[in-house]
Amino acid sequence: MQVFKEAKPNILVVGDLMIDHYLWGSCERISPEAPVQVVDIAKETTVLGGAGNVVNNLNALGANVSVCSVMGDDANGKELVKMLHDIDVNTQNLIIEKNRKTSKKSRVIAVSQQILRYDKESKEDILKESAQKILDSLETSIENYDIVILSDYGKGVLTEELSQGIIQLASKHKVKVLVDPKGKDFTKYQGAYLLTPNKKEAVLATGIDIKDETSLKEALLKLKNDCDLDVSLITLSEDGIATYEKEVKVFPTVAKEVFDVTGAGDTVIASIAFALSIGKSLEETAAFANLAAGVVVGKIGSATVTIDEIEDYEASLHKSTSDAHIKSFEEIDAIVQRYKQNGKKIVFTNGCFDILHVGHVKYLQIAKSFGDVLIVGLNSDESVSRLKGPSRPVNPAEDRAYLLAALEAVDFVVPFESDTPYELIKMIEPDVLVKGGDYEGKEVVGTEFAGELKLVDFVDGKSTTKTIEKIQGKTC
């Protein structure tokens, strides 16, 4: 994930910006004036909605984001611009239409249940003059973007004229255009790199009932041919993402817990755009988008996801390589802070782990049972030699770290150079510090920084020393 963390692609989002407004309260009575609930409002919140949620997701991933849209010259419009400025989004391509209403959707929530929604918005197509202003502006700036997203919420911004104008202009400058489509006629997006309809939207647009592998392929091919796409793609909810470039490929997802799918489509197109813009393959992009979706559906409401959250989620699924679990002091410090903020219990242990054996594995499995996240400090080669003698270690630190990181019980491995992990324990401040049973009655380094100390007995007859002796023929 390091390449994702370091990336800062320039991405343009064009579409229907809106404000999602929430009124939170409680309800204990029915109005005497009419058979309706009376909600006592305790809290009021606003977040970017519509294409703004795509903007929010890109911003959370670390992209440099610009927006292009049309809004009204009203209080909602001013509020929306301020919300964009607050997250450092470039708004120079926002066009004002005097008689247009900036979209704001207000929801009344009582005891975590939405009981009413009321909207203030314009849904008619933007003026031709507004579309031309956008195209004129993009004529000189389109090549500054790594990718363009058209986020269509059917509120009149992405007219056929504007959609086609942007797609053709981007194509001329070899900039990919991704589209989150709306409606049943996708031809206005013809020539885009890819669309991201969900299964229901794809069925509506193609007229093909997607119920098996054959019908899925037919729908993907129809979308690709009818809309002249480079890649045909359909999101399949819990079944992942299906693509067709040269052949049909389905990339399954794994969501550990699903609380709310609101805005998941915005997260998917944002993560696809982010990955493609930094040169990732279609396979890598689909895998990244699936991970992002898996995180966001575990949250309530229109949510965003960060690279760190995706990395943690991938690690929890044990789908990442061992290398991804080997961390430096600086990396583990940031990781620990995130886990602690989320209420996770941190467990720490350390050792040489030279010639990994069943005793090590059982010891680490028990250690992991004491909390949520197990961090293993690993002695460097020089440290092992000082502790065990010049003939050790048998295996170099790189190999020992990789093998440890491959174990299901181990979340992270952190190599250290000193003879003891004192500085590492001091930095991590684990909830549980674990050492071998042979430390009974002895002083354990770093206990002053840990919540509690637990001693775990080793498996009788299992040790690196005994393994070496057996190899050398000194024992039977």
Side-chain angles (χ1 to χ4, degrees):
M1 284 291 167
Q2 194 59 36
V3 67
F4 286 94
K5 292 181 180 179
E6 296 170 354
K8 289 285 182 184
N10 295 312
I11 299 178
L12 174 66
V13 178
V14 187
D16 303 291
L17 293 172
M18 59 189 73
I19 298 172
D20 282 338
H21 174 221
Y22 297 88
L23 296 164
W24 306 86
S26 58
C27 177
E28 297 180 353
R29 63 193 179 98
I30 302 297
S31 171
E33 303 164 359
V36 295
Q37 299 175 76
V38 176
V39 180
D40 182 14
I41 301 299
K43 183 175 68 171
E44 189 172 353
T45 59
T46 55
V47 294
L48 290 168
N53 193 40
V54 179
V55 171
N56 249 342
N57 272 274
L58 288 167
N59 184 69
L61 289 170
N64 296 315
V65 191
S66 299
V67 294
C68 187
S69 189
V70 178
M71 61 179 59
D73 185 16
D74 52 17
N76 288 340
K78 292 179 176 64
E79 182 183 3
L80 201 154
V81 171
K82 182 181 183 305
M83 292 169 73
L84 291 167
H85 284 167
D86 286 345
I87 58 172
D88 297 322
V89 172
N90 183 341
T91 61
Q92 68 181 35
N93 286 321
L94 290 180
I95 306 297
I96 303 297
E97 282 187 9
K98 288 196 173 182
N99 296 320
R100 193 173 187 86
K101 294 178 184 176
T102 305
S103 294
K104 186 172 185 176
K105 300 183 182 299
S106 298
R107 299 163 175 87
V108 180
I109 314 288
V111 197
S112 301
Q113 186 170 12
Q114 186 177 156
I115 63 172
L116 176 69
R117 189 182 109 179
Y118 58 92
D119 300 348
K120 294 179 182 178
E121 63 183 2
S122 293
K123 292 185 281 190
E124 66 273 10
D125 285 353
I126 60 173
L127 301 174
K128 290 184 181 294
E129 292 85 347
S130 297
Q132 193 56 52
K133 284 181 183 178
I134 291 172
L135 292 173
D136 289 344
S137 176
L138 292 181
E139 183 74 47
T140 58
S141 63
I142 191 77
E143 59 187 10
N144 296 329
Y145 303 111
D146 297 302
I147 220 153
V148 175
I149 297 175
L150 303 187
S151 180
D152 196 348
Y153 272 78
K155 306 301 180 185
V157 172
L158 286 169
T159 61
E160 182 169 359
E161 176 188 6
L162 181 58
S163 299
Q164 277 301 297
I166 292 173
I167 290 169
Q168 291 169 19
L169 185 60
S171 178
K172 188 168 75 172
H173 291 275
K174 294 181 170 49
V175 177
K176 293 182 176 70
V177 176
L178 316 185
V179 184
D180 189 356
K182 193 75 173 178
K184 60 181 181 180
D185 183 4
F186 290 175
T187 56
K188 73 173 180 178
Y189 313 119
Q190 193 165 22
Y193 179 75
L194 62 76
L195 312 183
T196 61
N198 59 35
K199 185 176 176 181
K200 182 178 178 181
E201 290 167 336
V203 169
L204 187 64
T206 63
I208 297 171
D209 183 17
I210 302 173
K211 55 187 178 182
D212 53 27
E213 190 175 321
T214 300
S215 55
L216 175 61
K217 181 177 181 179
E218 290 174 358
L220 285 165
L221 278 170
K222 184 170 177 57
L223 285 173
K224 191 174 192 298
N225 294 330
D226 289 355
C227 298
D228 190 23
L229 306 172
D230 289 73
V231 175
S232 187
L233 181 151
I234 297 173
T235 63
L236 303 171
S237 190
E238 68 276 4
D239 292 326
I241 295 173
T243 65
Y244 184 92
E245 192 171 20
K246 295 178 180 177
E247 60 179 328
V248 175
K249 292 184 179 180
V250 178
F251 303 90
T253 189
V254 178
K256 297 168 82 173
E257 291 181 287
V258 178
F259 290 109
D260 193 347
V261 297
T262 303
D266 296 330
T267 300
V268 168
I269 195 167
S271 53
I272 287 174
F274 191 92
L276 288 175
S277 67
I278 62 174
K280 293 298 179 182
S281 67
L282 188 59
E283 290 78 9
E284 292 170 318
T285 295
F288 180 71
N290 273 334
L291 289 169
V295 173
V296 85
V297 297
K299 300 181 179 183
I300 301 295
S302 294
T304 59
V305 58
T306 65
I307 301 296
D308 285 336
E309 288 175 322
I310 293 172
E311 182 178 42
D312 292 345
Y313 182 65
E314 182 182 38
S316 75
L317 296 174
H318 299 283
K319 289 184 176 293
S320 52
T321 63
S322 291
D323 286 328
H325 298 260
I326 303 170
K327 301 297 180 182
S328 67
F329 272 52
E330 293 76 16
E331 288 172 328
I332 202 64
D333 188 21
I335 289 168
V336 166
Q337 296 312 314
R338 290 202 310 272
Y339 277 121
K340 286 185 176 181
Q341 288 170 8
N342 292 327
K344 300 297 184 183
K345 192 173 184 180
I346 307 296
V347 182
F348 178 87
T349 192
N350 68 281
C352 302
F353 297 99
D354 193 13
I355 307 184
L356 195 64
H357 53 73
V358 68
H360 288 142
V361 175
K362 289 187 176 182
Y363 170 83
L364 293 169
Q365 287 172 337
I366 295 171
K368 176 61 179 283
S369 72
F370 297 138
D372 302 304
V373 180
L374 176 60
I375 300 170
V376 179
L378 180 69
N379 292 73
S380 67
D381 291 346
E382 293 76 10
S383 175
V384 175
S385 292
R386 290 193 296 268
L387 294 171
K388 304 287 186 179
S391 64
R392 300 281 296 276
V394 174
N395 292 310
E398 183 180 352
D399 292 1
R400 290 183 285 122
Y402 197 93
L403 290 171
L404 280 173
L407 297 177
E408 186 174 357
V410 176
D411 293 290
F412 301 104
V413 178
V414 186
F416 62 92
E417 296 293 334
S418 57
D419 290 347
T420 75
Y422 179 85
E423 293 298 331
L424 186 54
I425 298 170
K426 180 180 178 181
M427 181 181 69
I428 292 172
E429 294 184 337
D431 298 286
V432 183
L433 175 61
V434 180
K435 291 297 289 183
D438 57 336
Y439 273 84
E440 184 72 49
K442 299 179 182 178
E443 182 181 352
V444 176
V445 168
T447 51
E448 64 267 39
F449 305 115
E452 62 178 316
L453 172 67
K454 287 188 176 290
L455 302 180
V456 175
D457 290 331
F458 294 120
V459 177
D460 288 340
K462 301 295 182 181
S463 72
T464 298
T465 300
K466 288 186 178 295
T467 301
I468 293 172
E469 289 176 350
K470 188 172 184 179
I471 292 171
Q472 293 174 339
K474 294 180 180 180
T475 61
C476 296

